[in-house]
Amino acid sequence: MTAIKHEWRKAEKGFYLPKNKPEVIEIPEFNFVTIEGEGNPNNENFSEYISALYAISYTIKMNLKKDENKPVGYSDYTVYPLEGVWDINDEAKANYNGTLDKDTLVFKIMIRQPDFVEANYFNKMLELALEKKANPLLKQVKFEKITEGRCIQMLHIGSYDDEPASFERMEKFAESENLKRQSKIHREIYLSDFRKVPAEKLKTILRFKV
């Protein structure tokens, strides 16, 4: 009997398919491959960070399918979406005037991995990916377990530049629930491919800790 493929869009709707209005959610510990950087995400080199994450994520997925000694709990799965945690650098914080300069952004982007993928397996697959891929940023990719805890999230539809309006809605909702936003650091989960989808139709989950 063939095991059912795990598809996050169907099996984990609470985490990945919220409505276009704020809600409170508790996010447990998940496994991620991550990479950190600084600068404007519109710059050409940002795509190299994304490529490094997808290279290791697909190396893990495809080798698990072939591996005769599969980890306990294994089932085939759809690769999870790209996520990013965004902040601004210390100098920008000290001189912040209400206007965002994207060149001052600090980011940790990531792709979630199934629970059965652990650090040892990641390390083996990273060595394999380094042999096959020329991307020098692969050496900076890490395996991390991350727990977000209590958050407010909502689905943002439209341009990334229009996100402040959604964050304003989320902050007002937090106040109505007697919750306080911990910091201006926030997470974005990219449900759309910005290279193929018009800006006004982009779907992005916005999330911050409370």
Side-chain angles (χ1 to χ4, degrees), residues 3 24 30 36 40 45 69 76 84 136 141 149 156 171 201-202:
V24 180
F30 292 135
E36 297 180 41
N40 193 324
N45 70 330
N69 298 309
D76 192 16
V141 176
H156 172 79
E171 289 174 352
K201 293 184 179 180
L202 289 171

Side-chain angles (χ1 to χ4, degrees), residues 48 51-52 55 126 128-139:
E48 292 297 305
S51 296
L126 183 59
L128 190 62
L130 284 167
E131 291 173 7
K132 295 182 177 181
K133 305 289 184 180
N135 189 336
L137 290 176
L138 269 169
K139 296 178 181 178

Side-chain angles (χ1 to χ4, degrees), residues 144-188:
E144 293 188 61
K145 293 180 177 289
I146 298 173
T147 305
E148 287 183 84
R150 179 172 287 187
C151 298
I152 287 176
Q153 71 173 12
M154 71 173 282
L155 178 65
H156 172 79
I157 300 174
S159 169
Y160 303 133
D161 292 335
D162 295 335
E163 289 178 0
S166 290
F167 280 119
E168 186 176 348
R169 286 180 64 192
M170 293 164 71
E171 289 174 352
K172 287 181 178 177
F173 174 77
E175 290 179 13
S176 72
E177 296 291 312
N178 294 317
L179 297 170
K180 185 177 180 180
R181 182 173 181 175
Q182 288 188 13
S183 73
K184 289 298 182 182
I185 297 171
H186 72 274
R187 179 179 293 262
E188 300 181 0

Side-chain angles (χ1 to χ4, degrees), residues 33-37 49 52-53 107-109 137 140-142:
V33 292
T34 71
I35 188 168
E36 297 180 41
Y49 287 89
L53 291 179
F107 57 83
K108 177 187 282 189
I109 58 172
L137 290 176
Q140 298 180 30
V141 176
K142 300 176 182 178

Side-chain angles (χ1 to χ4, degrees), residues 33-156:
V33 292
T34 71
I35 188 168
E36 297 180 41
E38 184 171 342
N40 193 324
N42 295 318
N43 291 344
E44 190 174 327
N45 70 330
F46 184 70
S47 64
E48 292 297 305
Y49 287 89
I50 298 173
S51 296
L53 291 179
Y54 276 109
I56 184 62
S57 294
Y58 276 100
T59 298
I60 290 170
K61 173 181 165 65
M62 301 315 294
N63 278 273
L64 278 168
K65 291 183 78 169
K66 296 184 289 186
D67 197 333
E68 293 182 0
N69 298 309
K70 291 179 171 54
V72 175
Y74 170 78
S75 66
D76 192 16
Y77 61 96
T78 303
V79 170
Y80 283 90
L82 180 71
E83 307 186 28
V85 174
W86 296 89
D87 196 4
I88 54 176
N89 63 34
D90 291 340
E91 184 179 351
K93 288 176 183 175
N95 300 294
Y96 188 68
N97 60 5
T99 302
L100 175 64
D101 178 357
K102 291 186 178 180
D103 290 335
T104 67
L105 285 168
V106 177
F107 57 83
K108 177 187 282 189
I109 58 172
M110 63 195 76
I111 295 176
R112 187 180 153 196
Q113 304 299 307
D115 294 343
F116 51 76
V117 174
E118 289 292 347
N120 288 341
Y121 197 84
F122 161 78
N123 290 330
K124 292 178 186 176
M125 293 302 102
L126 183 59
E127 289 181 14
L128 190 62
L130 284 167
E131 291 173 7
K132 295 182 177 181
K133 305 289 184 180
N135 189 336
L137 290 176
L138 269 169
K139 296 178 181 178
Q140 298 180 30
V141 176
K142 300 176 182 178
F143 179 88
E144 293 188 61
K145 293 180 177 289
I146 298 173
T147 305
E148 287 183 84
R150 179 172 287 187
C151 298
I152 287 176
Q153 71 173 12
M154 71 173 282
L155 178 65
H156 172 79

